[in-house]
Amino acid sequence: MVRIKHRYLLINILYPDPKSTSGRPATKPGDEVPYTVQFRRPSPDRMDGGVLTRLIRDGVAELFGDYGSGKVAGSLQVKYFSQATSTAIVRVSRDHYRLVWAALTFATRLPNPVGQPCVIQVVRVSGTIRKSEEEAIRRARLSIRQAEAAAKSSNAATAGLAAATPQLLSTEDDDVDMINGIEDPDDPRDIEEDLDDEG
Amino acid sequence: MTPQPSAPGPPRPLKRKDAPSSSNTAGSTSHNKRRKTQVALESSGPTKRKDALSFSATTKNARQDKRRQTTKDARAISSQASSKAFKNGELDVDKFVKAREYEIKALEQGMARAKKALAERAFQQVPKELRRRTASHNVKRVPKRLQKRAAREVCIPVPSKRNYYMNSAEGNRPTSVKSRKPRVKKNALKDPPPAPAKFRKRQIGKSWLPTHLYHAKRAHMTSPKEPLWRYAVPLTPTMKSYRPTHRASGDRGAVAWDMSYMATVSLAGTEQSLQGLLRALGIGASPETKQLWGTRGQRCSSGTRVWEGWLYCRDSFPLQAIAPATVIWCAENEPMSVLGAVAEEKANVQRKTVRKLLIRVHPSAFHQLWDEVLRLAKVQKPQVMVEDLRFEIGSIEITGPASTEALLGALWPSTSTSGRDWPQGSVEATWSSLAEITNPAALPENVLFGFDIVDPRLHHPPHTIAIPQSTQESALLSTLSKWPCDQTQTSPKLFDRNARLKAARALPSQKAINRRKSFAVPGTYPEPKPSDAQIPILLYATRNLQSRNGGQSRAQGTWNLLLPWKTVLPVWYSIMYYPLSTGGQPRFGGLREKRQIIFEAGVPWFPGDFPGTAAGYAWEVREREKRKEDWAKRPRGKRIEWSSVDLGNGKKGEIGDGWACDWERLLTGMAPPTTGKSTEAAGDPSSKSGSVSLPPKPCHITSAAASSLLSGSSPLHNIDLSTALATVTLDLLVRGVPQTCARIYRLPSASAIDSAAISLRNSWLALVPTPEFRRRGREQKQPFPSILPKDAPPHVVHRQLAQSLLKPPQAGEDEYPVCPGEENLIGFVTTGNFNLGEGKGTGIGCILLERVLERVREGGNEGMKGRLCVVRNAGQSVGRLARWDIAG
């Protein structure tokens, strides 16, 4: 029996415009929110998996026309979307994941009911949902650590929070390369290895 | 603090194109319900439209939908809405972290759930080629590692104690539920403990020793169909062990046995009744054991020494011996100093108080002794209570130079109630100070310890104990000479039934022990707790008193450890894995090793070397059958043809059965009743007619009685000696190795009328090596090479010629004397082998006392001559000159 092969794209949605987003920094004076926290904002309430699907479908149709949307339509599915962390996992067939990737990369604005400027990062492409979930967990851990480190350095008062979640901080240093808070795109070799594994 | 985000709930399906965003936070249960009703509606549609469709098809569709729905639910990952995660949309490090934590948890749960939902049934995990269609529902048919899961899948509840505890709330664990204390079975035999269901079938008609699993992996056991004494007994280790056992028992190391098959009988009653019972069993009847009731025996009856000796049927001393036994009195709690009290008062108290004692006896003689004891106990006034402790008290025996050390490593006295060290002179302190002892025989004779130990699993793997340097030797010597335990020994708890039961029940599970060990500081043992189980033990050292002359200094004593049946295994493991200070670990032995060591010490083994007892005779019959089978199995050309064995003087044919120690033949005389016999029988036909078919059974006469009979100082002249057998050790004076079943002959009488007999006697006597020869031994043997070179100088040739003339004739030469006739047969060798301790062949046999009595007496002062005998192996014609001595 032939297995239907898919690719799972792990996506982060970033909201570059601070004014129009729902998450704004706490207004209390002296309570500086670190940059890492500000960088990864939660999605607005109306944003959900359906909106994301529409975004992708429209983007593919715009970029690749009927051909592209026809190719992608059968397999496209949003497997996971979390508003609070703006993370999503999107499934596409293996042959056409590049079309979706391109559509995501070219997206600058969420579709209409939301209508907000955004940047979508594809941080991981994997052959099984499990691997993308693991990557999501890893990244969540990492960002927790970064946020706490930043909070600790900026404000000694918030240092107590670090003690509250020690079990989540993995001891091994699986840091993603960071330049000014923006992750490097995955090493292309990584993706290839991944594909080899699943292929 | 900011409000906590809710923990990830059950899965919330994500495919909801039409769902409003507010449903993000809706409870999943309502969602699922809605979906289910939807599914039901959808599936109801086609049924209405297509009535022609069979009912089964629709139900199949519904089932598929349901299955699809469950997989979908299982695969959904819950997520958190931002309005819930961030109240008022405010960004905050704390909430940011919480939101990530939620996500991590949700993803992990999602993965776990998806994996579980995806999983197949357990039997489907079996590789394709091994899968079986039939009985795939059968839990037992899937591989072991999957059986648990398969059981869960087929929903067979697995009731276990653990589950019960796990399900009950943490607070109200039913720790207070006590299992029923088994009723004391007074004066009744005990049934073996019920085996675990898994092993029950294998223990029908026999019982396993507590260490059965250990031994079954490492030793040849008795075959399942033929247990020994109703136990599965280890016979010999699978590893080669003849020489290693000899070394471990005498030179370096230790050998241990699980002797739990030894039977224990407990007696309880007033001291008067107990003494009466023991006297009736023949204790203290002979002059040697008389002192048991005197001042020397006071130590035994006060419970600081054990008594070892023979027990007899009721009032039948010195005949009808049952078995050698050990009697252990329970010490009384009041110290010995009370002895100074007024005698009358003391006697009064003694008359009232109930005392206890244990009798340990070999299982082959247990039933005989039990009947006898039971009968005697009922006669006593007041009656004695008899209890069968066979499966309640187990025992371990250990011998060898390192035995004390190994035991010290395994038996840690439990901490005293005050929590401090044991005071100087207490039993526990004395026991702990014995590390230097390399021979248990160095202790005072038959010394007894009774104390409690801690669970040895708490200090498992044992470490080598620190052995004090020789500077403290004087302390040890003074301990040995004073022996403070005589004063400090209190009543050992092993005699107390409740303590035994408690010890067995309080043993924690291996899991609990492991947990405690893992909490301990690495490299140390867990801290002792006051709630730890205390295992009551009795420990006594015995020495082989009748060891072979000359070997006395080498003779190793033996430690005997008595402990509750269920605690034998942990102690056994602790002993077996103890790293000896001299390297290696203690060895374990089987029955063969036991017999080997005891044989090397020149001590007879019960029951095999006592065919005069009922147990010994049964053993002989059993062995006879086995040897006969072995013989019959061999092809005709390769087995000994007994009828053609040349016995010399033209006589042919083995005496009696070649595979047997043929006591019947020895007692009845020549095989076909000769004329003399028949006339005798004819003289009194009425009395004989009934007993013709039954050959007379031999009866055993103990060493003490036998030697007193031989020396002529015995008051026992009125007893019937016609069937009395005495156990002897045989020292071969020349070459040769006696084997089991070898025939023992006396030399022909010096006062015989027949000249041929006289000459035969003289030619045998000529073979006796001169003392000089014996002393110088080996180097004298071959002064010259047996074949000289052709150019040897004449004086060398002459000397060799002279020597060869003087040399006694060798076996196989014409001058070598033939065996004496059957009228001179006196007995058989019951155990014979090459003795590694002596470096030559020795044997242990039994002889008919009547036939040697006159020879020994006529031998008179010469001593040696009266005890010379000829030993001829069964099936061979060559006899060997030997000397016998009363043993054991």
Coordinates of all heavy atoms in Angstrom, one line a residue, chain B residues 54-107:
Chain B
S54 N -29.3 -3.0 3.7 CA -29.5 -3.9 4.9 C -29.1 -3.1 6.1 O -28.4 -2.1 6.1 CB -28.6 -5.1 4.7 OG -27.2 -4.6 4.8
F55 N -29.7 -3.6 7.2 CA -29.4 -2.9 8.5 C -28.0 -2.9 8.8 O -27.4 -2.0 9.3 CB -30.3 -3.6 9.5 CG -30.1 -3.0 10.9 CD1 -30.6 -1.7 11.2 CD2 -29.4 -3.7 11.9 CE1 -30.4 -1.2 12.4 CE2 -29.2 -3.1 13.1 CZ -29.7 -1.9 13.4
S56 N -27.3 -4.0 8.5 CA -25.9 -4.2 8.9 C -25.1 -3.1 8.2 O -24.1 -2.7 8.8 CB -25.4 -5.6 8.6 OG -25.4 -5.7 7.2
A57 N -25.4 -2.8 7.0 CA -24.6 -1.8 6.2 C -24.6 -0.5 6.9 O -23.6 0.2 7.1 CB -25.1 -1.7 4.8
T58 N -25.8 -0.1 7.4 CA -25.9 1.2 8.0 C -25.1 1.2 9.4 O -24.4 2.2 9.7 CB -27.3 1.6 8.3 OG1 -28.0 0.5 8.9 CG2 -28.0 2.0 7.0
T59 N -25.3 0.1 10.1 CA -24.6 0.1 11.3 C -23.1 0.1 11.1 O -22.3 0.7 11.9 CB -24.9 -1.2 12.1 OG1 -24.8 -2.3 11.3 CG2 -26.3 -1.1 12.7
K60 N -22.7 -0.5 10.0 CA -21.2 -0.5 9.7 C -20.8 0.9 9.5 O -19.7 1.4 9.9 CB -21.0 -1.4 8.5 CG -19.5 -1.7 8.3 CD -19.3 -2.6 7.1 CE -17.9 -2.8 6.9 NZ -17.7 -3.4 5.5
N61 N -21.6 1.7 8.7 CA -21.2 3.1 8.4 C -21.1 3.9 9.7 O -20.2 4.6 9.9 CB -22.3 3.7 7.5 CG -21.9 3.6 6.1 OD1 -20.7 3.5 5.8 ND2 -22.9 3.8 5.2
A62 N -22.1 3.7 10.5 CA -22.1 4.4 11.8 C -20.9 4.1 12.6 O -20.3 4.9 13.2 CB -23.4 4.0 12.6
R63 N -20.6 2.8 12.6 CA -19.4 2.4 13.3 C -18.1 3.0 12.8 O -17.3 3.5 13.5 CB -19.3 0.8 13.3 CG -18.9 0.2 14.6 CD -18.7 -1.2 14.5 NE -19.9 -1.9 14.0 CZ -19.8 -3.0 13.2 NH1 -18.6 -3.5 12.8 NH2 -20.9 -3.6 12.8
Q64 N -18.1 3.1 11.4 CA -16.9 3.7 10.9 C -16.8 5.2 11.2 O -15.7 5.7 11.6 CB -16.9 3.5 9.3 CG -16.4 2.2 8.9 CD -16.5 2.1 7.4 OE1 -17.1 2.9 6.7 NE2 -15.8 1.0 6.9
D65 N -18.0 5.8 11.2 CA -18.0 7.2 11.5 C -17.5 7.4 12.9 O -16.7 8.3 13.2 CB -19.4 7.8 11.4 CG -19.7 8.1 9.9 OD1 -18.7 8.1 9.1 OD2 -20.9 8.2 9.6
K66 N -18.0 6.6 13.8 CA -17.7 6.7 15.2 C -16.2 6.5 15.4 O -15.5 7.3 16.1 CB -18.4 5.6 16.0 CG -18.6 6.0 17.4 CD -19.4 4.9 18.1 CE -19.2 4.9 19.6 NZ -19.6 3.7 20.2
R67 N -15.7 5.5 14.6 CA -14.2 5.3 14.8 C -13.4 6.5 14.3 O -12.5 6.9 14.9 CB -13.8 4.0 14.0 CG -12.4 3.6 14.3 CD -12.0 2.4 13.5 NE -12.7 1.2 14.0 CZ -12.8 0.1 13.3 NH1 -12.2 0.0 12.1 NH2 -13.5 -0.9 13.7
R68 N -13.9 7.0 13.1 CA -13.2 8.2 12.6 C -13.2 9.3 13.6 O -12.2 10.0 13.8 CB -13.9 8.6 11.3 CG -12.9 9.3 10.4 CD -13.5 9.5 9.0 NE -13.6 8.2 8.3 CZ -14.6 7.9 7.4 NH1 -15.6 8.7 7.2 NH2 -14.6 6.7 6.8
Q69 N -14.4 9.5 14.2 CA -14.5 10.6 15.1 C -13.6 10.4 16.3 O -12.9 11.3 16.7 CB -16.0 10.6 15.6 CG -16.3 11.7 16.5 CD -16.0 13.0 15.8 OE1 -16.3 13.2 14.7 NE2 -15.3 13.9 16.6
T70 N -13.5 9.2 16.8 CA -12.6 9.0 18.0 C -11.2 9.2 17.6 O -10.4 9.8 18.4 CB -12.7 7.5 18.5 OG1 -12.7 6.6 17.4 CG2 -14.0 7.4 19.4
T71 N -10.7 8.8 16.4 CA -9.4 9.1 16.0 C -9.1 10.6 15.9 O -8.1 11.1 16.3 CB -9.0 8.5 14.7 OG1 -10.2 8.2 14.0 CG2 -8.1 7.3 14.8
K72 N -10.1 11.2 15.3 CA -10.0 12.7 15.2 C -9.9 13.4 16.5 O -9.0 14.2 16.7 CB -11.2 13.2 14.4 CG -10.9 14.5 13.7 CD -12.0 15.0 12.9 CE -12.0 14.4 11.5 NZ -13.2 14.7 10.7
D73 N -10.7 12.9 17.4 CA -10.6 13.5 18.8 C -9.3 13.3 19.4 O -8.7 14.1 20.1 CB -11.7 12.9 19.6 CG -13.1 13.5 19.3 OD1 -13.1 14.5 18.5 OD2 -14.1 13.1 19.8
A74 N -8.8 12.0 19.2 CA -7.6 11.7 19.8 C -6.4 12.5 19.3 O -5.5 12.8 20.0 CB -7.3 10.2 19.6
R75 N -6.5 12.9 18.0 CA -5.4 13.6 17.4 C -5.4 15.0 17.6 O -4.4 15.7 17.4 CB -5.4 13.3 15.9 CG -4.9 11.9 15.6 CD -4.9 11.6 14.2 NE -4.5 10.2 13.9 CZ -4.6 9.7 12.8 NH1 -4.9 10.4 11.7 NH2 -4.2 8.4 12.6
A76 N -6.6 15.6 18.1 CA -6.6 17.0 18.2 C -5.8 17.5 19.4 O -5.6 16.8 20.4 CB -8.1 17.4 18.5
I77 N -5.2 18.6 19.2 CA -4.3 19.2 20.2 C -5.1 20.4 20.8 O -5.5 21.3 20.0 CB -3.0 19.6 19.7 CG1 -2.4 18.4 18.9 CG2 -2.1 20.1 20.8 CD1 -1.3 18.9 17.9
S78 N -5.1 20.5 22.1 CA -5.8 21.6 22.7 C -5.0 22.9 22.6 O -3.7 22.8 22.6 CB -6.2 21.3 24.1 OG -5.0 21.3 24.9
S79 N -5.6 24.0 22.4 CA -4.9 25.3 22.4 C -5.6 26.3 23.2 O -6.7 26.1 23.6 CB -4.8 25.7 20.9 OG -6.1 26.0 20.4
Q80 N -4.9 27.4 23.4 CA -5.4 28.4 24.3 C -5.7 29.7 23.6 O -4.9 30.1 22.7 CB -4.3 28.7 25.4 CG -4.8 29.2 26.6 CD -3.7 29.5 27.6 OE1 -2.5 29.6 27.2 NE2 -4.0 29.6 28.8
A81 N -6.8 30.2 23.9 CA -7.2 31.5 23.3 C -6.4 32.7 23.9 O -6.1 32.6 25.1 CB -8.7 31.8 23.4
S82 N -6.1 33.7 23.1 CA -5.3 34.7 23.7 C -6.0 35.6 24.7 O -5.5 36.1 25.6 CB -4.7 35.7 22.6 OG -5.4 35.5 21.4
S83 N -7.4 35.6 24.5 CA -8.1 36.4 25.5 C -8.1 35.8 26.8 O -8.1 36.5 27.8 CB -9.6 36.5 25.0 OG -10.1 35.2 24.9
K84 N -7.9 34.4 26.8 CA -7.9 33.7 28.1 C -6.5 33.8 28.7 O -6.3 34.0 29.9 CB -8.3 32.3 27.9 CG -8.5 31.6 29.2 CD -9.5 30.4 29.0 CE -9.9 30.0 30.4 NZ -10.7 28.7 30.2
A85 N -5.5 33.7 27.8 CA -4.1 33.7 28.3 C -3.7 35.1 28.7 O -3.0 35.2 29.7 CB -3.2 33.2 27.2
F86 N -4.1 36.1 28.0 CA -3.7 37.4 28.4 C -4.9 38.3 28.7 O -5.6 38.7 27.8 CB -2.9 38.1 27.2 CG -1.6 37.4 26.9 CD1 -1.7 36.3 25.9 CD2 -0.4 37.7 27.5 CE1 -0.5 35.7 25.6 CE2 0.7 37.0 27.2 CZ 0.7 36.0 26.2
K87 N -5.2 38.5 29.9 CA -6.3 39.2 30.3 C -6.1 40.7 29.9 O -5.1 41.3 30.0 CB -6.5 39.2 31.9 CG -7.0 37.9 32.4 CD -8.6 37.9 32.3 CE -9.1 36.5 32.3 NZ -8.7 35.7 33.4
N88 N -7.2 41.2 29.3 CA -7.2 42.6 28.8 C -6.1 42.8 27.7 O -5.7 43.9 27.4 CB -6.9 43.6 29.9 CG -7.8 43.4 31.1 OD1 -9.0 43.0 30.9 ND2 -7.3 43.5 32.3
G89 N -5.6 41.7 27.2 CA -4.6 41.8 26.1 C -3.3 42.5 26.6 O -2.5 43.0 25.8
E90 N -3.0 42.4 27.8 CA -1.8 43.0 28.3 C -0.6 42.0 28.2 O -0.8 40.8 28.6 CB -1.9 43.4 29.8 CG -2.7 44.7 29.9 CD -2.8 45.1 31.3 OE1 -2.4 44.3 32.2 OE2 -3.3 46.2 31.6
L91 N 0.5 42.5 27.7 CA 1.7 41.6 27.6 C 2.4 41.6 28.9 O 2.5 42.7 29.6 CB 2.6 42.1 26.5 CG 2.3 41.5 25.1 CD1 3.4 42.0 24.2 CD2 2.3 40.0 25.1
D92 N 2.9 40.5 29.3 CA 3.5 40.4 30.6 C 4.4 39.1 30.6 O 4.0 38.1 30.0 CB 2.3 40.2 31.6 CG 2.8 40.0 33.0 OD1 4.0 39.9 33.2 OD2 1.9 40.0 33.9
V93 N 5.5 39.2 31.2 CA 6.5 38.0 31.1 C 5.8 36.8 31.7 O 5.9 35.7 31.2 CB 7.8 38.4 31.9 CG1 8.7 37.1 31.9 CG2 8.5 39.5 31.2
D94 N 5.2 37.0 32.8 CA 4.6 35.9 33.6 C 3.6 35.2 32.7 O 3.6 34.0 32.5 CB 3.9 36.4 34.8 CG 3.3 35.3 35.7 OD1 3.9 34.2 35.5 OD2 2.4 35.5 36.4
K95 N 2.6 36.0 32.1 CA 1.6 35.4 31.3 C 2.2 34.7 30.0 O 1.8 33.7 29.6 CB 0.6 36.4 30.9 CG -0.3 36.7 32.1 CD -1.2 37.9 31.7 CE -2.0 38.4 32.9 NZ -2.5 39.7 32.7
F96 N 3.2 35.4 29.5 CA 3.9 34.9 28.3 C 4.5 33.5 28.6 O 4.3 32.5 27.9 CB 5.0 35.9 28.0 CG 5.9 35.4 26.8 CD1 5.5 35.8 25.5 CD2 7.1 34.7 27.1 CE1 6.3 35.4 24.5 CE2 7.9 34.4 26.0 CZ 7.5 34.7 24.7
V97 N 5.1 33.4 29.8 CA 5.7 32.1 30.2 C 4.6 31.0 30.4 O 4.7 29.9 29.9 CB 6.5 32.2 31.4 CG1 6.9 30.9 32.0 CG2 7.8 33.0 31.1
K98 N 3.5 31.5 31.0 CA 2.4 30.6 31.3 C 1.8 30.0 30.0 O 1.5 28.9 29.9 CB 1.3 31.3 32.1 CG 1.8 31.5 33.6 CD 1.5 30.3 34.4 CE 2.3 30.3 35.7 NZ 2.0 31.5 36.6
A99 N 1.7 30.9 29.0 CA 1.1 30.5 27.8 C 1.9 29.5 27.1 O 1.4 28.5 26.5 CB 0.9 31.7 26.9
R100 N 3.3 29.7 27.2 CA 4.2 28.7 26.6 C 4.1 27.3 27.3 O 4.1 26.3 26.7 CB 5.6 29.2 26.6 CG 6.1 29.7 25.3 CD 5.6 31.1 25.0 NE 5.8 31.5 23.7 CZ 5.2 32.5 23.1 NH1 4.3 33.2 23.9 NH2 5.4 32.9 21.9
E101 N 4.0 27.5 28.6 CA 3.9 26.2 29.4 C 2.7 25.4 29.0 O 2.7 24.2 28.8 CB 3.9 26.5 30.9 CG 5.2 26.9 31.5 CD 5.1 27.3 32.9 OE1 4.0 27.1 33.5 OE2 6.0 27.9 33.4
Y102 N 1.6 26.2 28.9 CA 0.4 25.5 28.5 C 0.6 24.8 27.1 O 0.2 23.7 26.9 CB -0.7 26.6 28.4 CG -2.1 26.0 28.0 CD1 -3.0 25.7 28.9 CD2 -2.4 25.8 26.6 CE1 -4.2 25.1 28.6 CE2 -3.6 25.3 26.3 CZ -4.5 24.9 27.2 OH -5.7 24.4 26.9
E103 N 1.2 25.5 26.2 CA 1.4 24.9 24.9 C 2.3 23.7 25.0 O 1.9 22.7 24.3 CB 2.1 26.0 24.0 CG 2.2 25.5 22.6 CD 2.9 26.4 21.7 OE1 4.0 26.9 22.1 OE2 2.4 26.8 20.6
I104 N 3.3 23.7 25.8 CA 4.2 22.5 25.9 C 3.4 21.4 26.4 O 3.4 20.3 25.9 CB 5.4 22.9 26.8 CG1 6.3 23.8 26.1 CG2 6.1 21.6 27.2 CD1 7.4 24.4 27.1
K105 N 2.6 21.6 27.4 CA 1.8 20.6 28.0 C 0.8 20.0 27.0 O 0.7 18.8 26.9 CB 1.1 21.1 29.2 CG 1.6 20.5 30.5 CD 0.8 21.0 31.7 CE 1.7 21.5 32.8 NZ 0.9 22.3 33.8
A106 N 0.2 21.0 26.3 CA -0.8 20.5 25.4 C -0.2 19.7 24.3 O -0.8 18.6 23.9 CB -1.5 21.7 24.8
L107 N 0.9 20.1 23.8 CA 1.5 19.3 22.7 C 2.0 17.9 23.2 O 1.8 16.9 22.5 CB 2.7 20.1 22.1 CG 2.4 21.3 21.3 CD1 3.6 22.1 21.0 CD2 1.8 20.9 20.0

